[in-house]
Amino acid sequence: MSSTSPLILADGITKRFGANQVLTRVSLEVLERDVVCVVGPSGSGKTTLLRCLALLEEPSEGRVVMEGVPISTPSPDKQVKAAARDVRSEIGMVFQHFNLWPHMSVLQNLIEAPIRVKKMPRDKAVAIAESLLKKVDLFEKRDAYPARLSGGQQQRVAIARALAMSPKVLLFDEATSALDPELRREVLAVMRQLAREGMTMLVVTHEMGFARHVGTRTVFMDRGEIVEAAPGSAFFDAPQTERAQRFLQQFADE
Amino acid sequence: MFKYQFRWDTVWGSFDFLMGGLQMTLVISAITLVLAMVGGLVIALLDMSRFRVLRWIGISIGEVVRNTPILVQLLWVYYVLPIVFGVRIEALVALIIGLALYQASFISEVYRSGIQSVPKGHREAAQVLGLTPLQSFNRIVLPQAIRMTLPPLASNFVQLIKFSSLGAVISVSEITRRGMELSATNFRPLETFTFIAVVYFFICWPLAMAIRFWERRLQAR
């Protein structure tokens, strides 16, 4: 793959659910080590865009391209499907509601995919899982079941579970929205650490502080379109469009 | 006042006869439960099939069975099936077929709701991590669904113990039938059927209580 092609690219994606058009020709590229933050009012299509990139939704028009190879198109052919299978686990995702598997312990949650998908030997998977649990500061919870953990702890486990597949890019779908403020902080701290370590991330979020200080680029979406995109904190310091200004105004009032 | 000379000795005298019937009741219920679990799976698979004809068959079976009385179904299996197929069906076999079909139509719903009780997000997490749909079903959906399905299946067993008494109508020699035969010879229906009711109660009640306790523990998770 040429180093110039983006790690993952949304190429003119339109998404309709029945008569309801949720995304309109959205194009977005994420380069290696980028931390792209997608902000915007609820219902603006941020999550749908992320789900298209995570291959959970098929675009109605446009395509998803990973390192120059199309991996998702409307009614994909064999080649695209095969490409999608190959890169499937290189795209990690962290969900708003964690989605840990409740019938498995924390450790089992982490080793399930490496063992089943990567055919990794169990002890190697366990070693990786344990080091990841140390990283998110939850090693002592390795044998606990998700129901015994706080929301913040569950989300940190979910991040570790995604990292266990060593993805090339990690997608965050409002990863802190379901959490109380004090629990948000511990999750944001982990995300910040990942960004520092050079993880490529696409972060749908309402955390303006995170977008401003950690993001390398901020993308503002409204009504299914990308309205504005600016590097780093430029979006917050000098929003160009009226819609973005109005959106940011709400946070200034807080 | 209620002047009645209880003669419980008429029941004790036939204790073994009635207990033999109880054994029959439990065996019928157990066999029927196993058959109904398999039948329920077949109906559930038909319901969820990709092919419209199969879906239609599955749904039709379920609707017909759930919306006609179980007693009529048993009489139908016992009297009508032999005419249609020209074979004699043992009363016991007819009872087991009839009850199994009836329970299967309910158990198929139990399976369906068990599978639907697993949040979509759990499957999406598996999908994103690269698990195949089959792996996702076997490792993520099924273990959770089975846990949700066991208490309702146990409740079905309790129901079968009670429904199997309908076998008496087509002369299957389970405990209710034996009670009818006994009371026809000892002329003591009050003692006989009271005793039988108590036997049913003390088998079904502890089971029902245990299931309720079990369900509450599952919900607490």
Side-chain angles (χ1 to χ4, degrees), chain A residues 51 55-56 88-89 91-93 95 99-104 112-113 116-117 119 161 165, chain B residues 119-132 135 139-141 143-144 147 221:
Chain A
R51 289 174 60 84
L55 310 183
L56 289 173
R88 167 83 280 175
S89 52
I91 306 169
M93 179 150 172
F95 297 86
N99 289 339
L100 294 179
W101 301 312
H103 59 298
M104 295 183 179
E112 179 69 17
R116 306 270 154 194
V117 180
K119 313 288 176 206
R161 179 174 70 175
M165 293 299 280
Chain B
K120 190 162 146 251
H122 294 183
R123 265 175 291 143
E124 289 184 347
Q127 192 185 338
V128 168
L129 286 162
L131 271 71
T132 64
Q135 285 174 328
R139 301 283 308 166
I140 310 303
V141 178
Q144 295 191 66
R147 199 177 288 180
R221 258 172 214 274

Side-chain angles (χ1 to χ4, degrees), chain B residues 97-166:
Chain B
I97 292 175
L99 283 179
L101 189 62
Y102 184 74
Q103 288 305 77
S105 75
F106 285 95
I107 288 178
S108 71
E109 294 296 307
V110 169
Y111 290 149
R112 195 216 298 252
S113 66
I115 287 171
Q116 282 170 349
S117 74
V118 180
K120 190 162 146 251
H122 294 183
R123 265 175 291 143
E124 289 184 347
Q127 192 185 338
V128 168
L129 286 162
L131 271 71
T132 64
L134 188 65
Q135 285 174 328
S136 167
F137 185 79
N138 287 341
R139 301 283 308 166
I140 310 303
V141 178
L142 207 54
Q144 295 191 66
I146 286 175
R147 199 177 288 180
M148 301 303 293
T149 319
L150 288 178
L153 284 180
S155 300
N156 263 280
F157 182 64
V158 175
Q159 236 179 53
L160 274 171
I161 292 173
K162 293 179 288 177
F163 279 154
S164 63
S165 64
L166 292 168

Side-chain angles (χ1 to χ4, degrees), chain B residues 12 20 24 40 43 61 70-71 82 92 102 112 116 160 164 198 208:
Chain B
W12 305 137
M24 190 68 165
I43 296 177
I61 293 175
I70 171 70
L71 182 53
L92 177 62
Y102 184 74
R112 195 216 298 252
Q116 282 170 349
L160 274 171
S164 63
V198 168

